[in-house]
Amino acid sequence: MDWNEISEDIRKVECRTFEKVIDNATEDLITDLRSLITEDGAWNGFVEAVELSSEEGEALRDALKERLAQDPTDEN
């Protein structure tokens, strides 16, 4: 095995590792968002912390619910 092959193998492992990290982070974010929009106390605390009006908070919550209900794709 020459250095080019070794370098290519390392690159492949790095890419797979990076993809796995991104996938795990995305899964964690989606889980956190689902908890946030389904737990009233957490949601109310969030709305208060970012100083949204009740109308803005409801609009954002509805948009997040709609978005999270969609099947994930590479585009979203």
Side-chain angles (χ1 to χ4, degrees):
M1 183 176 273
D2 67 12
W3 285 110
N4 287 333
E5 291 173 327
I6 293 171
S7 177
E8 182 64 21
D9 288 344
I10 290 171
R11 190 192 65 74
K12 288 177 185 177
V13 169
E14 288 173 340
C15 286
R16 284 195 307 267
T17 302
F18 185 72
E19 288 171 359
K20 186 67 176 170
V21 167
I22 295 297
D23 288 346
N24 289 341
T26 301
E27 297 261 339
D28 291 346
L29 178 60
I30 289 170
T31 299
D32 291 346
L33 283 173
R34 283 198 174 109
S35 294
L36 181 64
I37 64 175
T38 58
E39 297 174 13
D40 289 335
W43 182 257
N44 292 337
F46 169 76
V47 169
E48 184 178 314
V50 296
E51 300 177 352
L52 296 176
S53 69
S54 58
E55 294 83 16
E56 291 170 324
E58 278 304 309
L60 179 58
R61 193 177 201 179
D62 290 343
L64 285 171
K65 284 181 182 179
E66 183 178 320
R67 187 66 165 175
L68 290 172
Q70 296 174 358
D71 289 330
T73 65
D74 288 341
E75 293 176 5
N76 61 10

